[in-house]
Structures are given as structure tokens and as C-alpha cells.
Amino acid sequence: MADLLADVSRETRRQLEVLVETLERWQKAINLVGKTTLDGVWKRHILDSAQLVPLIPAEAKTLADLGSGGGFPGLVIAAMRPDLEITLIESDARKAAFLGEAGRKMGLVRQPKLVIKRIEAAPPANAEVVTARALAPLTQLLEWSDRHRMNTAICLFHKGKDWQAEVDEAKKRWDFSPEAFASVTDRDAVLLRIGSYTAADLRDRQPEGRRR
């Protein structure tokens, strides 16, 4: 997986370079990523985002990226999987403006759809894949994703060293079976892949006709 960026085409590599160049220019005006991470942008942000790509089903057609911010992982995935119809959901108008310009400058084969609304207020994306990076605790991510996923969708989330505690907490509200994949950019981090899930309180609900 560490060879992900070495194996991309020259066109894709150039698109990612343009993303970095645009990010560095906009970062001077608005805070898109942590300032201390810019020196290692290719590992901390590009590769960190790119490692999601092998976990996306080859047959997937639609993806929603929640809280897209600086374009990670949404714009990186858009460059590496040009076949996907991608929706970027970002409530901050300035960050949304960056996403729009970066996507255009990258010359993406398929420009992502940009939704400038809060995640919980945005029209349901009905996506086959939902992604989010450095956004919120897992319990909240599952609630937001529930609005924007198909029933058969998978969710892909970056999580740090406390990921197991987040899983345990989220299971109080949701029934799900996560798969954890080691991150190639942080030994303490994982990528969580979650398939179909339901609200935990549905376990105790009886069919309407059986209630007394």
C-alpha cells in the first residue's frame, strides 16, 4: 500500500501536485490543514488519503465525503478513481471555494459535486461509499453517514490511537461490525471500514402488530 503514489499515472501525479500547490497558496489566507503538517504534506495528507482507495469496491459508482475541508480525502480519491461520482459536503463557504478551485485546476475527469451545507442539513447523497477524515467521534460519524448512505453502503473513516474506545462507545447506539486496517502513515492509527449498520434500539423493537 505504501507504493500507492509511486504507481499512479503521470496525469494523476500532476493532478495531486496541483492540489498541493493550490492548498499551499490558499493556506496563507485560511486554515485548511494544520500548519505544522505542510512540510510533510505528501505523507500526512496525500498518502494518508490515498490509502483509502484500495478499500473502495471496484464496482462502486458514488461516494460522499463528509466535511471535505482541505480536500482530504475527497479530492485525492477523485484523482485516483475518476470513475466515481463524488459529492463533497462542506459547510464552510471559504473551504468550499477552495474545493471548487482546486478541483477545476486539477482538471479532474469528473468534477465532484460540491454541497455547501451542514452535513445534517444537506440533501441525502444516497452514496455507495461514505468517507470522513479528522471530523468527529465515530458515534457522530455514523449518525451523519446514515443520512447520506445507501443501505448497502460502506463507510471508510480514518481513526487515531483511541479508535477502539470510539468503537466501544459507538456500539452503545449502533449495531455494526467494523474492520480495522493499519494506517501506512501512522503506526497508532487505523482505517475503519463499516458495512451495513442499524440503530441499536431497533433490536428491542417489536413489529407494530405485536405490541400491546
Side-chain angles (χ1 to χ4, degrees):
M1 188 172 290
D3 294 331
L4 271 172
L5 297 181
D7 293 338
V8 300
S9 67
R10 281 189 295 177
E11 179 183 10
T12 300
R13 178 78 183 192
R14 181 55 191 156
Q15 288 174 333
L16 296 175
E17 289 172 349
V18 170
L19 172 57
V20 170
E21 292 165 3
T22 309
L23 173 72
E24 290 174 340
R25 187 171 67 255
W26 277 68
Q27 179 72 19
K28 297 174 183 177
I30 64 173
N31 188 43
L32 294 166
V33 298
K35 293 180 180 179
T36 60
T37 67
L38 276 180
D39 288 342
V41 64
W42 280 94
K43 178 180 179 181
R44 293 287 296 274
H45 298 295
I46 302 296
L47 179 58
D48 194 47
S49 298
Q51 64 180 327
L52 288 185
V53 173
L55 303 180
I56 299 173
E59 65 275 14
K61 300 298 182 186
T62 56
L63 182 146
D65 185 41
L66 310 182
S68 299
F72 307 115
L75 288 179
V76 175
I77 295 173
M80 298 183 70
R81 280 289 303 269
D83 58 307
L84 286 172
E85 294 181 14
I86 294 179
T87 299
L88 306 178
I89 303 177
E90 174 54 57
S91 63
D92 187 308
R94 296 184 304 166
K95 292 180 179 179
F98 161 77
L99 292 168
E101 178 173 315
R104 289 189 294 272
K105 286 185 174 295
M106 290 168 71
L108 296 171
V109 172
R110 182 174 292 182
Q111 289 293 323
K113 177 183 178 181
L114 186 57
V115 178
I116 312 173
K117 287 183 177 293
R118 295 180 63 84
I119 296 166
E120 63 271 29
N126 199 35
E128 295 169 82
V129 182
V130 179
T131 58
R133 178 176 180 263
L135 183 61
L138 183 58
T139 301
Q140 180 65 75
L141 289 178
L142 291 174
E143 181 175 336
W144 283 336
S145 298
D146 194 39
R147 178 179 179 83
H148 295 288
R149 67 180 179 126
M150 296 176 63
N151 288 337
T152 56
I154 66 165
C155 298
L156 297 171
F157 303 135
H158 290 77
K159 282 296 165 187
K161 62 182 180 180
D162 296 327
W163 67 271
Q164 186 61 63
E166 288 197 42
V167 168
D168 294 342
E169 184 64 25
K171 284 190 173 183
K172 296 176 182 178
R173 288 188 54 187
W174 302 98
D175 276 340
F176 65 101
S177 298
E179 295 177 88
F181 299 84
S183 170
V184 302
T185 60
D186 183 344
R187 69 170 72 183
D188 295 324
V190 300
L191 310 174
L192 287 183
R193 181 166 64 186
I194 298 171
S196 298
Y197 63 93
T198 57
D201 62 0
L202 292 178
R203 289 181 305 221
D204 304 320
R205 294 184 185 178
Q206 293 180 335
E208 193 68 32
R210 294 185 181 180
R211 293 180 184 173
R212 294 180 180 179

